[in-house]
Amino acid sequence: AQRVTQPEKLLSVFKGAPVELKCNYSYSGSPELFWYVQYSRQRLQLLLRHISRESIKGFTADLNKGETSFHLKKPFAQEEDSAMYYCALSADNYGQNFVFGPGTRLSVLP
Amino acid sequence: EAGVTQSPTHLIKTRGQQATLRCSPISGHTSVYWYQQALGLGLQFLLWYDEGEERNRGNFPPRFSGRQFPNYSSELNVNALELEDSALYLCASSSTGKLYEQYFGPGTRLTVT
């Protein structure tokens, strides 16, 4: 069965510092990986997906199949990046087997 | 475009009772997903409905059930409530062909006393 792990429950960085939110997965096939974000008092929303290879709000994530990782990175953290971040995996394109990680709370300090 | 809506916002029930939670997807979306977000456990997949049919369910007992109506709105029913059912229940919707791109509602906070 597929599984997503996010080793850090809480990550605190100072404004302007680089940030990396770790995500590892276990799945024998070729998964699709996503990052979802939930800002304070807002809904959970899709941040980015690996297949699009885009940068959203300065964040990027590269799928490393060898290390089964999909870490989220940003070179210079901003206070407005403070939120809960969830890594998610889809084992197919049919909505089945969509698994979320436990989440990492990012706190960007002034 | 209106987002996913859920009702009620809060629901307080007693152990053993039944709870009904409702979700209206974004117009044009045919898939509805239900998740349970219990404290400290992250998001747990509950159910997936598409075109009125249950397509998949997570590792939850049968007392968690639901349905999807012809207008694609959905209900989640939890029977014989237990204290550990207290959680935030999130509904999400997506369109056919973009099932990964789920749009979430604000959630219903269920408290079982």
Side-chain angles (χ1 to χ4, degrees):
Chain A
Q2 49 275 14
R3 191 175 170 216
V4 176
T5 56
Q6 294 177 251
E8 303 133 332
K9 279 189 176 180
L10 174 65
L11 182 63
S12 295
V13 301
F14 285 102
K15 176 182 171 182
V19 61
E20 181 179 53
L21 296 156
K22 291 185 167 53
C23 170
N24 289 89
Y25 67 91
S26 60
Y27 178 60
S28 56
S30 292
E32 282 204 52
L33 276 299
F34 311 88
W35 278 98
Y36 279 77
V37 61
Q38 188 169 26
Y39 301 102
S40 180
R41 296 189 186 88
Q42 293 188 29
R43 305 177 182 201
L44 191 62
Q45 56 187 289
L46 178 65
L47 180 62
L48 55 81
R49 55 188 294 230
H50 91 268
I51 202 167
S52 59
R53 303 184 67 80
E54 56 192 345
S55 172
I56 303 292
K57 299 183 178 182
F59 284 98
T60 59
D62 290 317
L63 177 60
N64 186 323
K65 291 187 178 181
E67 295 183 359
T68 59
S69 68
F70 188 56
H71 303 327
L72 184 67
K73 300 176 185 178
K74 185 170 183 177
F76 308 103
Q78 302 299 314
E79 289 183 68
E80 55 265 31
D81 296 328
S82 295
M84 194 74 180
Y85 291 81
Y86 294 92
C87 183
L89 175 155
S90 176
D92 57 51
N93 194 33
Y94 299 99
Q96 301 186 38
N97 304 315
F98 204 93
V99 178
F100 281 86
T104 297
R105 180 165 297 284
L106 174 65
S107 178
V108 181
L109 307 171
Chain B
E1 177 186 86
V4 176
T5 59
Q6 291 186 245
S7 63
T9 304
H10 294 92
L11 190 56
I12 300 175
K13 293 284 186 179
T14 305
R15 190 171 52 184
Q17 285 187 317
Q18 180 200 32
T20 298
L21 290 64
R22 295 179 177 83
C23 171
S24 291
I26 289 173
S27 177
H29 285 186
T30 61
S31 276
V32 169
Y33 306 82
W34 287 96
Y35 294 89
Q36 183 194 66
Q37 189 174 30
L39 198 60
L41 289 181
L43 281 160
Q44 306 290 318
F45 167 70
L46 262 167
L47 289 159
W48 170 39
Y49 291 95
D50 182 59
E51 298 283 358
E53 301 280 334
E54 182 182 302
R55 302 296 184 182
N56 199 19
R57 66 179 293 130
N59 190 25
F60 281 84
R63 57 191 186 82
F64 286 84
S65 65
R67 54 181 172 165
Q68 187 178 33
F69 300 99
N71 66 354
Y72 303 115
S73 66
S74 177
E75 262 183 14
L76 173 68
N77 295 294
V78 188
N79 294 320
L81 284 165
E82 300 178 2
L83 296 177
E84 52 265 32
D85 296 334
S86 295
L88 181 68
Y89 289 83
L90 292 173
C91 170
S93 74
S94 69
S95 59
T96 304
K98 283 192 173 183
L99 295 173
Y100 59 85
E101 195 165 339
Q102 300 182 23
Y103 292 82
F104 284 81
T108 292
R109 173 76 60 188
L110 173 63
T111 301
V112 182
T113 61

